[in-house]
Amino acid sequence: MRDLGTAVVDRGRYPDARTPWERESWRTAALGWVTDRLAGHGLRADGALEVRLRPWSVLVRVPVAGRTAVWFKANPPASAFEGPLTGALARWVPEHVLHPLAVDAARGWTLFPDGGDLFRAVLGRERVGPREWEALLRQYASMQYDLVAHAGEIERLGVPAARTSGLPAVFDRLLAGNTALGPDERARLDGLRPRLADWCAELASLGVPDTLDHADLHDGQLFRRSPGRFTFFDWGDAAVSHPFCSLRVTAERACERYGPHVLPRLLAAYLEPWTGDGRTAAELRRAAELAWRLSVLSRAAAWGRTFPGASDAGPGPGQAARRLLELTADPPFGAG
């Protein structure tokens, strides 16, 4: 394992991206760490590596003798919290997440077990109806609810704060720092600022506490363990924010697959774990409407963290600008 041997490298849509993998000293250190951590579990690497290089991570599938493969992930500094966060989640909500085999918080390295079938792979080979998406949203919301008590600890792990009361400041920072917005687009967003402050104040007043927001929970970010049961992973875009900000990405993917008529069912499934704390169904729905729109702030911030100082033509500012402009569109299940 300390000798690279054969490695199949996938660079996806980023053939020119520079990652630590290009440095021999880094590869040697990283793969040596994997070897040592496997040995600590009585395991041994055996076979060719599959390397996935993206600007936001290095991911290596490591075949292991006598069992399923394991995965090494290296995060950049902006998302180095992912390993410690995954380890903490395995303690707090063990039934919902992967349990890392090893974490090096200082270097942003994590060794994961194989999680089984991606939900995306299941969707590609089976007839899966909307009820599975309802189940995953219900399970995910239940996990978020259980993590409310740990929100402060999650922040102390380095997970970015995008708390409901602080979202106007997040918007100001994103708008000021974005280099891809045109003058007309910037003026539109500037004009939206007073309404955005009102939305944030109203959302905070509804009393749903901040907790962990995955910020990019789509069908490639979770494993389907069995019908109706899921394992959530890939927390590199996460933030501590309003929980309902998580709904949008998942619901949009399901609506793309089945049509917009499934959205009321998805919304009801997601909100179910949040009932019973004295809030009415109308209040929870209104909170979901507001958070749907405001969720783009965490997603825009994640692009900015991933590509700091990128040029106007780079993916960071452009993607962040597109997310910010989505603030001007009304949610699909109610006016903003």
Side-chain angles (χ1 to χ4, degrees):
M1 183 65 180
R2 292 181 189 276
D3 179 5
L4 284 178
T6 303
V8 178
V9 178
D10 166 22
R11 294 180 179 273
R13 294 179 296 166
Y14 302 92
D16 300 322
R18 300 294 298 171
T19 72
W21 184 260
E22 278 71 45
R23 302 199 305 271
E24 183 177 357
S25 60
W26 186 92
R27 293 196 306 268
T28 300
L31 297 176
W33 181 82
V34 172
T35 298
D36 292 343
R37 297 308 176 274
L38 285 175
H41 289 276
L43 303 174
R44 176 177 58 84
D46 180 28
L49 306 177
E50 297 176 22
V51 183
R52 181 181 181 273
L53 303 180
R54 299 294 185 268
W56 51 85
S57 69
V58 172
L59 187 66
V60 183
R61 182 182 183 273
V62 183
V64 174
R67 56 158 285 170
T68 55
V70 300
W71 297 82
F72 165 76
K73 184 172 185 179
N75 291 80
S79 60
F81 60 79
E82 183 176 0
L85 173 61
T86 303
L89 294 177
R91 297 192 302 274
W92 297 330
V93 286
E95 68 275 28
H96 299 300
V97 297
L98 284 177
H99 294 212
L101 299 171
V103 174
D104 186 323
R107 293 190 284 191
W109 295 352
T110 311
L111 192 63
F112 294 101
D114 188 84
D117 286 335
L118 280 177
F119 189 39
R120 178 175 293 168
V122 175
L123 292 170
R125 68 169 186 259
E126 298 179 14
R127 291 179 62 87
V128 176
R131 286 188 178 180
E132 281 291 276
W133 295 77
E134 295 169 37
L136 83 84
L137 282 169
R138 191 178 295 110
Q139 180 186 338
Y140 175 74
S142 296
M143 180 188 69
Q144 286 185 295
Y145 187 90
D146 290 342
L147 289 170
V148 166
H150 298 285
E153 295 168 90
I154 292 171
E155 278 190 61
R156 288 191 288 275
L157 292 171
V159 178
R163 289 184 176 268
T164 307
S165 60
L167 287 176
V170 172
F171 171 80
D172 292 342
R173 196 162 56 246
L174 290 169
L175 187 59
N178 191 280
T179 57
L181 290 164
D184 292 344
E185 295 170 331
R186 188 173 296 276
R188 286 170 60 199
L189 290 169
D190 272 330
L192 194 66
R193 175 59 164 80
R195 291 185 66 199
L196 183 137
D198 290 342
W199 294 329
C200 295
E202 182 183 357
L203 183 57
S205 74
L206 292 170
V208 177
D210 294 327
T211 184
L212 184 63
D213 169 22
H214 185 287
D216 194 26
L217 187 64
H218 57 71
D219 51 345
Q221 308 278 42
L222 60 150
F223 300 105
R224 208 277 293 269
R225 300 200 304 265
S226 62
R229 293 300 300 171
F230 300 88
T231 298
F232 306 105
F233 74 102
D234 203 342
W235 300 96
D237 290 340
V240 175
S241 192
H242 196 284
F244 296 3
C245 288
S246 289
L247 171 65
R248 180 170 181 166
V249 172
T250 316
E252 285 181 335
R253 292 295 179 94
C255 288
E256 289 169 4
R257 191 172 187 86
Y258 304 106
H261 66 280
V262 303
L263 183 56
R265 292 168 52 183
L266 298 172
L267 177 63
Y270 178 76
L271 293 180
E272 182 180 313
W274 299 96
T275 61
D277 286 342
R279 300 176 195 92
T280 67
E283 288 173 331
L284 290 173
R285 179 187 171 89
R286 176 57 178 164
E289 292 173 3
L290 293 164
W292 182 283
R293 191 194 298 259
L294 294 168
S295 66
V296 301
L297 295 174
S298 284
R299 297 177 68 196
W303 277 104
R305 291 194 305 272
T306 302
F307 299 94
S311 67
D312 295 5
Q319 288 287 351
R322 281 189 279 276
R323 299 288 84 78
L324 288 173
L325 291 168
E326 290 174 2
L327 284 165
T328 63
D330 287 337
F333 46 83

